[in-house]
Amino acid sequence: MLTFQQLQSITQGKEVQFVQSLPVVHLLTDSRKLSQPTGSVFFAIKGKYNDGHKYLPQLYAKGVRQFVLEQGEPQELQQLYPEANILQVANSMQALQQLAAWHRAQFNVPVVGITGSNGKTIVKEWLSALLSPDEMVVKSPRSYNSQLGVPLSVWQLQPNHTLGVFEAGISQPGEMEKLQAVIQPTIGIFTNVGSAHDEGFASREQKVQEKLKLFREVELLFYCADYELLHQQVQAQSIKSFTWSRQQPEADLYISATTTAGHRTIVVYTFEGEKQRLTLPFTDEASVENALHCLAILLYRRLPLSEIQERLDRLHPVAMRLEMKEAINGCYLIDDTYNNDLAGLAIALDLQASQPQRGRHTIILSDVLESGLAEEELYRKVAELVQAHKVERLIGIGATISKYNQLFSESDFYTSTAEFLKVFNPASFRNEVILVKGARVFEFEKIVQAFQQKVHGTVLEVNLDALVHNLNYYRSKLAPDTKLMVMVKAFAYGSGSFEVANLLQFHRVDYLAVAYVDEGVALRENGITLPVMVMNPSPDSFVKLRQYNLEPEIYALEQLEAFVGSLEPDAKYKIHLKLDTGMHRLGFEPEDFEELFRLLEQYPQVQVASTFSHLAGADEAIHNDFSQLQIARFRSMAAELEERLGYKVIKHILNSAGIVRFPEHQLDMVRLGIGLYGVEATGSEQEALRPVSTLKTTVSQVKSVRQGDTVGYSRKGIASTDRTTATIAIGYADGYDRRFSNGVGQVFINGHRCPIIGNVCMDMCMVDVTGVEVKAGDAVTVFGIDLPLVELAQNIGTIPYELLTNVSTRVKRIFYSE
Ligand SMILES: *Cc1c(COP(=O)(O)O)cnc(C)c1O
């Protein structure tokens, strides 16, 4: 076992304190993911938005006794953490990488390193599955391919493994050398060259060159020679390679034809002078390319053709999404049908643990497919993980997990999914967070269906990764000490306030804001502990407001009088003062100040936590002068206020558009709204954001209408020629605006934009699908990547805000991350 002294010599760290000899089993970099304190070493990493050093006291209190950190006075550290082993290093991330590199070097096994613009994760998953009959494979969990993810992946290598498969992703020069040192691949796969992360590099050439650094020491590199840029550089660097190509017969593997037949692709290829054919269980271009990389490796390993075909037949699309959704009896489902191995299980359990507010935690778990461990040891580890994450009930499904039932406390076992469904009693699940985690063969989607409430086919899918991306984009524009308030009013702009708020709490924003007290109460009841400002609290809700520790916006004297009228003498109450600088909606004006100060002096229990104003035209450049005027007025009013109060008050004026347009006026805090949800209100940086919401529905029926027939109410849709129409399950009651009627709106079906025909009805509307292959049950996108919100809003003369917040609450929200 690794000792503290070794850790010190590997990382070249300075010993601040050595107290006791402890095992180094878990590398902890995120304080929220602590589950087994005893064997954990915490690496305090300084990130762009956070600093691990902030969490030392909390981790120490929870029993962590080993720390690698960058800062702190030795004496002070010894005093604060008398029982901890502490190492000080120049860079904690680098120390983590050094440790992983050292660990990697202990194993003399082949290791496959994978990089490229797309397909890394899928190739990694498929290759691991294809080789698992012959090898004990260890692989990166999910898409752990970053500076942090790679060391954590490689740390999983154990003596029983015979092959490692790890992916590496970079976004700028200088990163790949570090990942190479950690993975030390002996075999390489370069999946392809695309546009992803182009912005981080001077040129495509430079990007390819940087990525190739992963393969500095490989014995063999597999790649497709049809990527010219890549091919030239591999040749120039004389990296030993195995190439495949659709164009060059001299490649090691020559693909002379790929043709689709139903749901399969027939591949005709020549390898070592022999022409053969086999089929792939996919037809889309990306899957075929990913599978061909794998084929190259299987051929290189000289597997017999019949065996290759058999293994390829078992490949399936990798479910990258992890979905969260509401279910029967107040339950909440975390649906994760990604590969069910130990590392994937640990990640899913972490996510479940981050939802502590929603009641007790249950897991429905299939046999765990892990090739690396003896059965009993494997299930012992599963039981440990489940216990460490405080899961209260386990339902095990599968013959193997059932065999080890004695390892689990509160639990039930079934040998198959069908057996579980036969006795499934919805009433025995109530107000629980249920993690559904099963290997593909167990078809847990049937269990998920059984748990889901009956809904019509319209859903709003909310991409939590995109949300975090947008959050970080705005954060990158802020000075380090500028605070961030996020607007989650109106059901978080239609996205679902609790889930969004929970994510924002996880990512440690400073403040949330809602419009009404009830919205704030709902957040508190779902376990949101962040400070919450309520923008429009009515006097009859003040009691509730205080009961739930919500902070009112105060914008008028009568309102302040009503608020102070009912205060307890010794308590403290935070308020936020809204100043009117030109919006003329709500807020104090200079002439109110004397009376305002008189009241505040009279009620010292009331503390002004912040003061703010709102820009009327930050989204449009023509109003820049006016915005500047508002900002100047605000600065002077706020300064006067602060002076009169005699203490510091947080000052804020910028909304999403303001953050982009006037970064020099961030003051103490900004208020992020629409930008978080993927719409860049000034329009100039829309490219930098990711769309968050996709509104989807399904086709209910397809019809042929003849020339002269009419479609829908008032006979507004007139068929000028014979047409095919599809009736889709969304109408104005779902929030699909009636202004989209009669060709103004379009929806996206099977790769085509199809216009609305006739008037939008309450629960449905009809679209013209002439010439498009469409059948009942097909998916329809109403807005999303293929139909940007901004464009839809323009078509009916409104703004994206309205479209987002109009999506009715009867439309089910599904939250997912990749
Ligand atoms: C809604 C709101 C915001 C956020 O505006 P966006 O344009 O969505 O960024 C900021 N401040 C106040 C007072 C608001 O009401």
Side-chain angles (χ1 to χ4, degrees), residues 487 489 493 535 578 585 612 614 655-657 671-675 801:
M487 313 312 278
K489 60 193 181 194
Y493 290 52
M535 293 194 289
K578 173 76 153 292
R585 191 168 64 174
F612 68 107
H614 195 38
N655 58 357
S656 306
R671 299 188 305 274
L672 176 61
I674 193 86
Y801 299 69

Side-chain angles (χ1 to χ4, degrees), residues 474 485-487 489 493 513 533 535 553 578 583 585 612-615 618-619 652-659 670-677 679 681 801:
Y474 283 94
M485 173 183 269
V486 181
M487 313 312 278
K489 60 193 181 194
Y493 290 52
M533 178 175 92
M535 293 194 289
E553 165 185 326
K578 173 76 153 292
M583 174 89 168
R585 191 168 64 174
F612 68 107
S613 190
H614 195 38
L615 297 175
D619 49 341
H652 45 117
I653 190 165
L654 301 183
N655 58 357
S656 306
I659 298 171
V670 297
R671 299 188 305 274
L672 176 61
I674 193 86
L676 181 73
Y677 308 98
V679 176
Y801 299 69

Side-chain angles (χ1 to χ4, degrees), residues 7 17 34 104 121 188 296 302 332 364 404 444 484 536 542 553 584 623 641 707 721 729-730:
L7 187 60
Q17 177 166 275
L34 174 67
R104 161 70 184 95
T121 304
R302 301 298 188 285
Y332 196 66
I364 302 179
Y404 295 95
F444 271 14
L484 179 60
N536 213 342
F542 283 154
E553 165 185 326
H584 298 318
H623 301 306
L641 188 81
Q707 182 181 3
T721 56
I730 189 168

